[in-house]
Amino acid sequence: MHNIRCILRKIEGTRTGLVGGIITFLAIIFIRNQLELLLEADHNITISLSTATVLADHVHVIMAWSYIYLISVILLATAGGCSWAGSARVSLCGFTLIWVPPLLDGAFGLSGAIIYQYQFDSFLSSFSSLFLPWVEVGYVTPGVRIEVFLVMLATITYVGLCSDRRYAWWRAVLSAFLVYCAIFSMGYLPALVSWLSGNSHIELLQQSALGVSVTTAPVLWYLPVLLPLGIVFIKKTQPRLWRVFTSCLRIERMLIYLLFAFAGILQAADNALIGNEWLNIYDIIFVTLALLCVAIAFIAMTALNDICDAKIDVLSNPSRPLTCDKSLLPEYWFVLFFGGALSLGMSFTFGISQPVLLVGMLSLGGLYSLPPLRLRRFLLLAPLTLTLIALVCYLFGMALIWNNSTPEQLNLHQLGSLALLFFIAVQFKDIKDETGDRAHGVQTVATCLGARRAYWLLGILLFVVFTALIVAGELRWSAANILAGLMFVLAFVIFRKSEWVICSLVGCLALLLLN
């Protein structure tokens, strides 16, 4: 036991880079998939499926194994009392146990693939009989039984030998039981969805107005589970990355782009004469996934902008992490590349229009921040680029329903009016950056006129254009639009600070778009 403990402590102390850990994790999954294809009876290589379908299936597979890994680390660290970093490293090494089912089942001509259960009628009997070899569990092969047993044995061994808390072996037994519950419950996620919605899986697919399919549904099962698990994991195991991630979040700015995407979804649903019947639980999670793609893409573009604006932020935003600690640069690059790849990969869950639009969105973000073009330097091109990104978000939302027919469904007059208002309003963000922008030759309204004059000019211009659009009939004369105008005027006159005005503009934009 002493030797095993020394090996586990050595694994705990092994420095594992973030990129190296992700590559190792994906490599383990890839090898598992290849073993299934080569050895197991029910896995066949086929070229009959579309590329988008294959990619969506890979997203599902990665999400499924991510759930197992994340929940294992969290249980080892909380219930087991082991260190967060050590739990993450030991779990990654132990993750190679997922190779066991294809190797064993392949030898006997069986298949160890996950077979999801859509009802809870077999839950108790299967849960209590998994380790009884004389009891047949229809959807579990011997290889899977041995795999789960080895995982529980490894959990007991690690927690019992390496936990620094009291009652280590009691904690080990509890951790193993909880890991078993987590693994077993994975197969019953669709049953949980059906129970919560009151409809069967087939009924949910048939009622889906957004075209949720058998391929995309598994992605929707894991999304509500993975989000909180991923946040806890990053916060506890990667404090430097968490610091960069929260800095790039910029909630009030991100909400503006999310509102454009959500407004596009609502406009598309209205054009398609879809009423409340589209509020199917699959459709709701489907919309949430689309908004999450936009949010992650926004975070990636913000990370790129912070990297390129590092010298400007020394003067304008000295509290940002990169200006205080240059060693955080690799974390910023990681957020950029991983966020871009993640959002693009998730977009394949939808139609082909979404990946194309997302690439366009990320490309505009690159042109805005990166030299040699670096459109952020120019007076009119900078707000124009940001306006185009907002419009792409709107198209991203509409394409969820209309796909390639989206251009035919656009209300160009109304959308042009909103784009004009956004073009003016987005320049409020440059006011607080005046000092840094001026020192580095970036042209904005604030650097040309001064921060105070720019504030009053933009505010008055925005109100005049908003009023003119209502009088001209481009925007409706409605209570929501009037309330949006009053909210802006009050924030503009009372607070007299650009950041507070930007926060109020989120509410104003919500009223305008959702109206």
Side-chain angles (χ1 to χ4, degrees), residues 376-436:
R376 187 218 184 300
R377 297 175 299 165
F378 302 104
L379 180 61
L380 297 179
L381 291 179
L384 178 61
T385 305
L386 296 177
T387 303
L388 290 175
I389 293 175
L391 293 178
V392 172
C393 291
Y394 187 88
L395 294 174
F396 187 93
M398 286 203 74
L400 280 182
I401 295 177
W402 289 102
N403 208 357
N404 294 335
S405 300
T406 295
E408 303 167 10
Q409 303 299 321
L410 295 176
N411 184 336
L412 295 179
H413 291 287
Q414 187 178 50
L415 194 58
S417 301
L418 293 173
L420 178 59
L421 292 173
F422 182 83
F423 177 84
I424 300 171
V426 76
Q427 298 182 68
F428 274 104
K429 76 174 188 62
D430 297 323
I431 293 177
K432 70 180 181 64
D433 297 335
E434 180 207 358
T435 304

Side-chain angles (χ1 to χ4, degrees), residues 256-265 291 294 298 301 357 361 386-399:
I256 292 175
Y257 294 98
L258 291 179
L259 283 170
F260 267 95
F262 190 57
I265 295 171
L291 296 178
V294 174
F298 170 85
M301 290 187 291
L357 290 169
M361 192 187 310
L386 296 177
T387 303
L388 290 175
I389 293 175
L391 293 178
V392 172
C393 291
Y394 187 88
L395 294 174
F396 187 93
M398 286 203 74

Side-chain angles (χ1 to χ4, degrees), residues 439-474:
H440 290 85
V442 176
Q443 297 177 345
T444 65
V445 175
T447 58
C448 293
L449 301 178
R452 184 176 178 82
R453 290 180 180 177
Y455 179 83
W456 285 101
L457 174 65
L458 292 173
I460 294 172
L461 181 60
L462 185 61
F463 181 74
V464 169
V465 171
F466 175 74
T467 305
L469 290 173
I470 288 183
V471 171
E474 297 296 332

Side-chain angles (χ1 to χ4, degrees), residues 313-392:
D313 287 337
V314 171
L315 299 174
S316 301
N317 300 286
S319 62
R320 286 189 179 161
L322 192 57
T323 60
C324 304
D325 186 0
K326 299 296 184 184
S327 68
L328 289 173
L329 186 60
E331 279 74 15
Y332 273 90
W333 283 112
F334 177 83
V335 171
L336 167 61
F337 287 111
F338 183 75
L342 180 62
S343 60
L344 186 59
M346 291 169 61
S347 69
F348 281 98
T349 308
F350 315 106
I352 194 61
S353 298
Q354 273 68 29
V356 173
L357 290 169
L358 200 63
V359 169
M361 192 187 310
L362 294 170
S363 299
L364 287 170
L367 293 177
Y368 177 82
S369 301
L370 286 171
L373 292 181
R374 192 160 160 71
L375 301 179
R376 187 218 184 300
R377 297 175 299 165
F378 302 104
L379 180 61
L380 297 179
L381 291 179
L384 178 61
T385 305
L386 296 177
T387 303
L388 290 175
I389 293 175
L391 293 178
V392 172

Side-chain angles (χ1 to χ4, degrees), residues 7-38:
I7 293 172
L8 291 172
R9 287 299 189 189
K10 187 175 182 179
I11 295 173
E12 280 189 326
T14 303
R15 292 184 63 85
T16 304
L18 195 57
V19 175
I22 291 176
I23 292 175
T24 301
F25 177 75
L26 295 176
I28 293 172
I29 296 174
F30 177 79
I31 292 174
R32 157 75 185 233
N33 290 346
Q34 299 310 304
L35 290 174
E36 287 179 340
L37 290 171
L38 293 173

Side-chain angles (χ1 to χ4, degrees), residues 463-492:
F463 181 74
V464 169
V465 171
F466 175 74
T467 305
L469 290 173
I470 288 183
V471 171
E474 297 296 332
L475 294 177
R476 288 189 296 176
W477 186 270
S478 65
N481 287 346
I482 300 303
L483 181 61
L486 290 175
M487 184 186 299
F488 168 73
V489 170
L490 289 175
F492 180 76

